Amino acid sequence: MQKIQDSTAIVHQNTQDYLHWFRHSAPYINAHRNKTFVVMFDGEAIQHENFQYIIHDIALLHSLGIRLVLVYGARPQINAQLQIQHLQTPFHDVRRITTREALPCVMQAVGAARMQIEALLSMGLANSPMFGARIDVVSGNLVTAKPYGIRDGIDFQLTGEVRSVDVDAMTRLLERHNIVLLGPVGYSTTGEVFNLLAEEVATKTAIALKAEKLIFLGNQNGVFNSQGQLQREIVPHQLDQYITQYQQAQSQMALYLQGAKDAALNGVQRVHVLPYAHDGALIQELFTRDGIGTMVTDAHYEEVRMANIQDVGGLINLLRPLEEQGILVYRSRERLETEINQFAVIERDGTILACAALYPIPTTANEIASAEIACVAVHPSYRKSNRGSQILHFLEEKARTLNIHQLFVLTTRTAHWFLEHGFSHATVDDLPNARQALYNYQRNSLVFKKII
Ligand code: ARG
């Protein structure tokens, strides 16, 4: 009996998790529909055991109406071919110098990689969640190349750079629900094959197509700062510093970040760097608010600011559960609408994560200019973060600009939190007269104050 109860509880918990997850993902499912994403993975990713699951996830994205351009690299595959032929090609920085005799190896490796990906996408997806779905994958002469030329006195021979991508053709293919597949090669107007950097093909394509996202699947979890901490979001102007850091480490990440910079400067709103080895990374990044890897974006992804009338709905979602538990006093929609200018919020990608209000208290001539901080609330999934402190600091700053020197807070449950934030015990008598008159003796809140 005991056992049955336990497993029911687990099933119930899983259902709850699932519901919670699905409700939070739904806005992203709608947001991503019909948008164009360019996804690049390098040759190592193709060889990794997780690659089959990446292909499943790609199939899933496709079925949700996302327009996909896949770009693959083939560096280890090319190296393997060269080794078979006992050939070597020098690298200059990150670029291979493709000699005429090495070109067949490049063609062989790139062609084979393409077939491998096409085959995986054609599997009938029998063992995948997408069983029965049919995917049309198209590649072709979509990227025009030109020679990289002679630089620093070095002739790069058949190494090229992207000259243009055929936007019209790709758009047509995407509109017809094809997945476009591009490799690290392009053809020149003189009919030659050039070896290209996959990162560059992906970036140029994302820019030309005005893609919503450029996604790099690399061998690291994302971008790390010099202290080794994963950065969940970075803004384009921080990129230079990371590019130097990764260049010094001779990491391929430098190429992704160079691409990210280029893309961000040219209108691609979000660039993501994700681990290819992590099962489900694409799904987690795209359908959750916090993602899993690093996102480069210029837009205010998260900000602390004063609230406006559009925030009322989000505030209600945040406050109602806390009001129901008696932690906060009930505020009607009308009241929130009238008081909205007193509120500060933290917004993250369209969701209100935290709020707090600052109500100036009318004071008489011999009282210190004071205000009450009220309605401090943080979204349950973000309680462990420091969003509460952030919003409190924001309102303290705001109070200073209003020449307010004394803050009060009345609370029944969260005394310790305010004590940790520099408030000290006070009594009802310490409140300015105007606020004393409104004190609710039944609620019996504790009074705290802070001089700022
Ligand atoms: N799911 C959202 C998107 O696809 C947000 C991802 C946030 N990722 C991050 N690393 N902060 O745009």
Side-chain angles (χ1 to χ4, degrees):
M1 189 63 202
Q2 186 58 39
K3 214 170 173 186
I4 293 172
Q5 264 177 1
D6 284 348
S7 60
T8 324
I10 292 167
V11 170
H12 183 67
Q13 182 55 39
N14 286 345
T15 315
Q16 286 297 316
D17 289 350
Y18 169 74
L19 283 175
H20 177 83
W21 183 86
F22 193 73
R23 287 192 179 128
H24 284 82
S25 310
Y28 286 115
I29 297 179
N30 290 321
H32 296 334
R33 188 173 299 121
N34 293 328
K35 301 285 159 48
T36 302
F37 296 180
V38 175
V39 183
M40 186 209 136
F41 37 84
D42 61 21
E44 276 96 23
I46 302 176
Q47 292 173 337
H48 195 273
E49 55 178 20
N50 191 43
F51 190 64
Q52 51 176 320
Y53 300 111
I54 296 181
I55 291 290
H56 288 173
D57 288 347
I58 285 172
L60 179 60
L61 300 183
H62 176 70
S63 79
L64 291 173
I66 297 172
R67 300 175 177 193
L68 291 169
V69 178
L70 309 180
V71 183
Y72 62 94
R75 224 156 283 156
Q77 289 84 346
I78 295 174
N79 289 340
Q81 283 303 321
L82 288 169
Q83 214 175 359
I84 296 171
Q85 303 301 329
H86 304 291
L87 290 174
Q88 271 177 350
T89 51
F91 271 81
H92 186 66
D93 288 340
V94 292
R95 244 171 256 264
R96 189 192 297 276
I97 295 165
T98 315
T99 54
R100 204 159 279 282
E101 51 171 12
L103 189 69
C105 296
V106 173
M107 289 165 65
Q108 165 82 25
V110 172
R114 191 194 82 211
M115 285 179 256
Q116 192 185 342
I117 299 165
E118 287 177 352
L120 280 173
L121 279 165
S122 315
M123 258 194 322
L125 301 174
N127 302 318
S128 88
M130 295 304 301
F131 177 68
R134 170 160 180 94
I135 295 174
D136 296 316
V137 198
V138 182
S139 28
N141 58 346
L142 298 163
V143 175
T144 306
K146 61 182 180 197
Y148 193 64
I150 301 171
R151 309 222 183 171
D152 303 328
I154 296 160
D155 183 356
F156 281 82
Q157 305 182 47
L158 291 172
T159 296
E161 60 182 333
V162 176
R163 177 169 170 181
S164 63
V165 298
D166 192 340
V167 176
D168 285 349
M170 280 194 220
T171 311
R172 248 180 292 127
L173 291 167
L174 293 170
E175 271 166 5
R176 291 188 195 147
H177 307 290
N178 296 295
I179 290 185
V180 173
L181 180 63
L182 304 175
V185 291
Y187 310 116
S188 73
T189 42
T190 53
E192 271 182 307
V193 179
F194 281 92
N195 180 16
L196 306 175
L197 276 179
E199 289 82 0
E200 193 183 300
V201 174
T203 306
K204 291 272 162 57
T205 304
I207 296 172
L209 288 177
K210 300 193 171 47
E212 261 70 28
K213 286 185 191 296
L214 169 60
I215 302 170
F216 292 109
L217 291 169
N219 65 1
Q220 296 179 43
N221 287 342
V223 178
F224 290 83
N225 68 8
S226 48
Q227 279 90 54
Q229 292 153 324
L230 177 66
Q231 303 302 104
R232 308 311 297 273
E233 284 113 42
I234 50 187
V235 291
H237 76 247
Q238 291 175 304
L239 282 171
D240 280 334
Q241 149 206 343
Y242 288 112
I243 292 173
T244 322
Q245 175 189 318
Y246 280 106
Q247 266 167 353
Q248 280 161 0
Q250 296 200 333
S251 158
Q252 191 171 3
M253 183 66 82
L255 286 174
Y256 300 155
L257 296 181
Q258 194 62 54
K261 183 179 166 192
D262 216 16
L265 288 176
N266 288 289
V268 180
Q269 293 281 330
R270 291 181 177 191
V271 182
H272 304 255
V273 183
L274 311 177
Y276 61 66
H278 190 295
D279 185 18
L282 266 171
I283 302 297
Q284 199 174 334
E285 178 70 13
L286 295 175
F287 299 103
T288 65
R289 200 178 302 120
D290 296 329
I292 185 178
T294 299
M295 176 169 79
V296 183
T297 179
D298 213 359
H300 292 293
Y301 189 65
E302 175 167 335
E303 56 175 353
V304 193
R305 56 170 174 81
M306 293 309 288
N308 61 50
I309 198 77
Q310 269 88 42
D311 297 321
V312 173
L315 275 181
I316 291 178
N317 288 341
L318 178 65
L319 297 176
R320 285 299 176 257
L322 294 162
E323 293 170 356
E324 278 157 18
Q325 295 164 41
I327 297 171
L328 294 174
V329 283
Y330 174 75
R331 283 170 172 78
S332 66
R333 175 179 279 270
E334 293 69 33
R335 177 164 173 202
L336 286 170
E337 282 171 3
T338 9
E339 294 181 355
I340 195 72
N341 295 332
Q342 260 82 55
F343 275 83
V345 290
I346 298 183
E347 184 204 312
R348 184 169 169 81
D349 212 17
T351 300
I352 306 289
L353 293 193
C355 74
L358 180 81
Y359 299 103
I361 306 171
T363 36
T364 54
N366 52 6
E367 286 177 327
I368 313 175
S370 304
E372 180 182 346
I373 300 253
C375 205
V376 182
V378 181
H379 190 292
S381 315
Y382 294 84
R383 295 267 154 82
K384 291 203 184 80
S385 68
N386 67 347
R387 303 287 190 318
S389 319
Q390 238 178 309
I391 201 153
L392 185 65
H393 288 145
F394 180 81
L395 282 185
E396 286 181 8
E397 279 310 308
K398 166 96 182 159
R400 281 194 194 97
T401 64
L402 296 172
N403 264 325
I404 287 167
H405 298 293
Q406 187 165 245
L407 293 177
F408 286 97
V409 35
L410 281 74
T411 175
T412 54
R413 305 260 190 110
T414 49
H416 63 278
W417 190 82
F418 287 102
L419 289 170
E420 282 164 14
H421 286 84
F423 282 76
S424 52
H425 285 281
T427 63
V428 180
D429 294 335
D430 294 318
L431 289 167
N433 293 327
R435 183 63 181 89
Q436 262 182 55
L438 295 174
Y439 183 79
N440 179 344
Y441 282 91
Q442 217 173 3
R443 203 169 152 76
N444 199 18
S445 310
L446 297 171
V447 181
F448 293 89
K449 82 169 179 201
K450 179 172 182 178
I451 306 292
I452 56 170

